C-alpha cells in the first residue's frame, strides 16, 4: 500500500526522531551529559528539559536545554514536567519530525535499533 504523494513528500523531508529528555539540575553534569555524549549523538535531535528554577552549570552550555516556564525543577514525581515536555514538543516540533520520544535521564537506548524499527514503519499508518 502506497501513501498519498503529499504525505510521502512530508515523510521524506521530516527528520526521523526527536527525543525530549526529562532531567533536573542535580543530574545535568552526570546523567544528562553522559546520555548526550553516548546515544544522544545518534538521534536526529535531543533536548533536555528542566524546570524554570534550574541553574544550568556553565561547563555544560553545549547541552541543548529548555527551561519549562511555570514548572518547578525538583518536584517528584515529575508529572507536570512530563506533560509540559509533550506540550512543548508538539508546539515547537510537530511539523519537523516523524517520531517523538519522551525519555528520562537514566535511560539507555540502542538508538541504531530504534532507528531501524522506526524506519520500517510508516508514521501515517500507526
Amino acid at each position: 500500500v502506497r501513501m498519498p504523494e503529499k504525505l510521502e513528500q512530508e515523510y521524506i523531508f521530516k527528520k526521523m526522531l526527536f527525543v525530549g529528555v526529562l532531567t533536573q539540575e542535580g543530574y545535568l553534569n552526570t546523567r544528562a551529559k553522559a546520555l548526550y555524549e553516548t546515544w544522544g549523538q545518534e538521534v536526529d535531535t535531543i533536548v533536555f528539559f528542566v524546570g524554570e528554577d534550574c541553574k544550568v552549570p556553565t561547563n555544560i552550555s553545549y547541552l541543548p536545554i529548555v527551561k519549562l516556564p511555570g514548572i518547578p525543577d525538583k518536584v517528584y514525581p515529575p508529572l507536570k514536567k512530563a506533560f509540559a515536555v509533550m506540550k512543548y514538543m508538539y508546539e515547537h516540533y510537530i511539523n519537523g519530525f516523524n517520531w517523538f520520544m519522551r525519555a528520562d535521564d537514566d535511560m539507555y537506548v540502542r538508538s541504531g535499533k530504534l532507528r531501524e524499527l522506526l524506519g520500517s514503519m510508516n508514521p501515517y499508518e500507526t
Side-chain angles (χ1 to χ4, degrees), residues 20-122:
V21 181
L22 265 67
T23 191
Q24 64 167 295
E25 184 178 329
Y27 297 122
L28 287 171
N29 265 315
T30 54
R31 293 178 182 179
K33 183 179 173 190
L35 191 156
Y36 183 76
E37 292 173 355
T38 56
W39 67 267
Q41 296 294 305
E42 299 169 5
V43 297
D44 294 313
T45 299
I46 189 164
V47 175
F48 295 89
F49 291 89
V50 295
E52 78 176 338
D53 57 335
C54 175
K55 292 172 184 63
V56 178
T58 56
N59 69 312
I60 54 163
S61 60
Y62 62 92
L63 288 181
I65 297 172
V66 170
K67 288 186 175 188
L68 297 165
I71 304 297
D73 194 47
K74 296 178 184 170
V75 172
Y76 190 85
L79 191 57
K80 279 186 177 182
K81 190 185 283 186
F83 282 111
V85 166
M86 292 188 299
K87 182 179 180 209
Y88 186 95
M89 289 190 300
Y90 176 80
E91 289 175 348
H92 294 87
Y93 296 101
I94 194 66
N95 293 317
F97 293 85
N98 286 311
W99 300 100
F100 293 84
M101 179 174 144
R102 205 252 337 135
D104 291 324
D105 59 10
D106 59 353
M107 282 179 64
Y108 180 77
V109 174
R110 293 181 63 189
S111 49
K113 291 288 187 184
L114 179 60
R115 290 182 65 82
E116 186 180 312
L117 171 67
L118 296 177
S120 72
M121 297 168 44
N122 179 343

